[in-house]
């Protein structure tokens, strides 16, 4: 018999209690693992979607945007602020501006609230700016009544090239000229319209939501930003996409704080659970531990035994927690998408990884060991005479 | 001067317990020498200090005054860690209550003291010892599946796992019927014949007489030696 076998057999004495303690360690593991996976995944997804994959180095919009506009759009409204279309030509003259893409974005929510459609009025500059914007079928707009569908929209609407799409809110029919390749961004869920057609649809002719700018060299970002600031009136706002992702992350901060609170509660329960279990072990097996002292067990032998028992509880909880987390990632992803009130990227936001697994395991294990410190001290200080007392 | 032929030497040992304001002299100035290879029985009425004396001899308890010399070392002033080393290496204990761990088999229970000296041969040794006490056929049984006599035989095997120089037994037959009591005493006698020093506390005068030496303890003092 080895020391660890002795520890495991001790845990088997009160199986229900051991299982419940393991479950508390499992809950702590799941909570921490999912929270860390969401924290890292959400940040990556937001940056990929709003910064890395957009091909845009700067946006120009009116003061108050972009978060204000984003919230209006999210509600299915139309931003009251706009950039006049003539600004585009002015911007193109700035040094190091490679492309300038004007666009009009708006959302329409069905009267019963069942769905919100996002419309993006674009020019052909999108094909040069956005590297992930690629047509899978069909081609560019053939006229003002053409529409290009995002991959998910085409799937949901069951539309193919040449099919008609009727927009009840505008009482207007469009013909599908192209369908995009799925690129796992917001593009997948967007109706793309010719810019002029989009503006006409909502009575905003010559008015843009923003202008997206691509530079010939990102090293000149600050120079171009300064030049554009000087070129435009004071109520224009020139910002890199990182500002949008930072803004989104700031909103996400409150959700993160709630989740961290949950982690703290789960951890508190776990630590108290383990401490309670090991205290009961120390109390119930007081005579037995004292007997072990009688036959030569040292302080460290008793400490080792109790630590081993705690370690088994923690490790079993960690392994079970990791399995449950990995198996239930799709459910967690769905839950978070349903209840997360901030911006939701199209790609997965819960992204588990090995390093998160390792960090989670270390933290839960350390918490388990910390929880055992007091019971260990109590148990290991038992004197041999305790075995014979009150007999 | 301590004689190394004496495995145990007690020099004016006193043990006082405090019970509230009252002081109880459990051992009141005991002098005793136990030679290597001796078989000593300690008898006496309840409350005479037999168990206290055995606990002091076995380094489980410390005297209030006096010297307790175990294999040439005065253990009376030793720290708990050093006493633990002596309990591990020198003394084998048998208790009236058996103290078997309920979730471990007989074989595993025997191995427990071996864990603390990291004896790599404890598995094989435990099987040999169970064979010695006639329980090789019960080695995978849990304590709940053993009779009282069998449990005490497991406890004897367990006391021998670290090959101690001294076996101390506190009422080893106290919880057993007469048939099992004779069996246990037979095993202890056999161990003594093979050279082990044995000190036994017992109420049973018939069994006590089987030892080489018998001391009668009354009120914490040796009356007859």
């Amino acid at each position: 018999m080895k020391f660890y076998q002795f520890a495991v057999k001790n845990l088997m004495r009160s199986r229900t209690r051991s299982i419940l303690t393991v479950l508390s360690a499992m809950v702590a593991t799941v909570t921490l693992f999912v929270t860390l996976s969401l924290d890292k995944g959400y940040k990556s997804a937001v940056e990929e979607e709003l910064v890395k994959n957009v091909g845009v180095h700067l946006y120009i919009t009116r003061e108050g945007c972009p978060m204000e506009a984003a919230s209006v759009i999210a509600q299915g409204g139309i931003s009251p602020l706009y950039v006049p279309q003539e600004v585009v030509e002015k911007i193109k003259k700035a040094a190091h501006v490679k492309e300038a893409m004007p666009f009009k974005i708006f959302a329409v929510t069905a009267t019963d609230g069942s769905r919100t459609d996002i419309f993006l009025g674009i020019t052909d500059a999108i094909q040069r700016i956005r590297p992930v914007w690629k047509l899978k079928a069909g081609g560019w707009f053939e006229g003002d009544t053409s529409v290009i569908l995002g991959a998910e929209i085409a799937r949901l609407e069951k539309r193919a090239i040449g099919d008609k799409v009727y927009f009840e809110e505008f009482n207007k029919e469009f013909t599908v000229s192209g369908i995009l390749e799925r690129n796992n961004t917001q593009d997948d869920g967007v109706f793309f319209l010719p810019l002029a057609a989009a503006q006409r649809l909502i009575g905003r002719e010559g008015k843009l939501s923003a202008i997206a700018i691509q530079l010939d060299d990102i090293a000149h970002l600050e120079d171009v930003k300064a030049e554009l600031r000087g070129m435009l009136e004071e109520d224009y706002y020139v910002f890199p996409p990182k500002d949008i992702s930072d803004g989104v992350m700031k909103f996400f901060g409150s959700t993160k704080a709630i989740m961290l609170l949950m982690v703290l509660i789960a951890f508190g329960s776990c630590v108290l659970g383990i401490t309670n279990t090991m205290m009961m072990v120390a109390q119930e097996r007081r005579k037995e531990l004292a007997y072990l002292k009688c036959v030569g067990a040292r302080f460290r032998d008793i400490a080792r035994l109790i630590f081993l028992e705690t370690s088994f509880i923690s490790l079993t909880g960690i392994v079970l927690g990791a399995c449950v987390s990995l198996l239930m990632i799709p459910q967690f992803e769905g839950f978070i998408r349903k209840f997360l009130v901030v911006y939701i990227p199209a790609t997965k936001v819960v992204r588990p990884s090995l390093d998160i697994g390792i960090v989670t395991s270390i933290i839960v294990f350390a918490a388990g060991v910390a929880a055992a410190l007091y019971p260990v001290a109590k148990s290991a200080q038992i004197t041999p005479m305790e075995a014979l007392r009150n007999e | 001067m301590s004689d190394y032929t004496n495995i145990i030497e007690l020099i004016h040992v006193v043990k006082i317990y405090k019970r509230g304001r009252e002081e109880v002299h459990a051992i009141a100035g005991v002098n005793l020498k136990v030679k290597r290879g001796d078989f000593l029985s300690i008898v006496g009425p309840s409350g005479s200090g037999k168990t206290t004396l055995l606990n002091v001899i076995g380094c489980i308890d410390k005297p209030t005054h006096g010297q307790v010399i175990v294999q040439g070392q005065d253990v009376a002033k030793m720290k708990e860690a050093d006493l633990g080393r002596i309990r591990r290496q020198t003394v084998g204990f048998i208790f009236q209550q058996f103290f078997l761990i309920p979730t471990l088999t007989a074989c595993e229970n025997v191995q427990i003291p071996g864990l603390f000296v990291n004896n790599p041969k404890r598995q094989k040794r435990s099987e040999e010892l169970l064979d010695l006490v006639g329980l090789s056929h019960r080695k995978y049984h849990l304590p709940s599946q053993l009779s009282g006599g069998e449990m005490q035989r497991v406890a004897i095997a367990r006391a021998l796992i670290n090959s101690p120089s001294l076996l101390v037994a506190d009422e080893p037959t106290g919880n057993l019927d007469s048939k099992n009591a004779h069996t246990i005493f037979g095993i202890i006698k056999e161990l003594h014949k093979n050279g082990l020093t044995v000190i036994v506390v017992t109420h049973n005068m018939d069994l006590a007489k089987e030892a080489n030496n018998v001391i009668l303890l009354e009120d914490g003092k040796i009356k007859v030696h």
Side-chain angles (χ1 to χ4, degrees), chain B residues 159-178:
Chain B
L160 300 173
I161 188 83
N162 290 338
S163 306
S165 313
L166 172 67
L167 183 69
V168 292
D170 186 9
E171 300 280 8
T173 58
N175 282 346
L176 304 177
D177 57 42
S178 61

Side-chain angles (χ1 to χ4, degrees), chain B residues 105-170:
Chain B
T105 63
C107 194
E108 289 166 337
N109 265 292
V110 173
Q111 290 175 50
I112 287 176
L115 281 173
F116 308 129
V117 294
N118 204 19
N119 178 359
K121 291 179 181 167
R122 57 183 178 267
Q123 172 72 34
K124 189 165 175 278
R125 176 94 177 119
S126 64
E127 288 174 12
E128 287 168 1
L129 289 169
L130 282 173
D131 193 33
L132 180 78
V133 296
L135 282 179
S136 52
H137 62 297
R138 307 284 267 169
K139 61 184 173 186
Y140 298 123
H141 286 68
L142 292 171
S144 58
Q145 297 165 319
L146 301 174
S147 68
E150 286 173 327
M151 281 198 271
Q152 195 58 295
R153 279 192 274 165
V154 172
I156 293 172
R158 184 183 58 188
L160 300 173
I161 188 83
N162 290 338
S163 306
S165 313
L166 172 67
L167 183 69
V168 292
D170 186 9

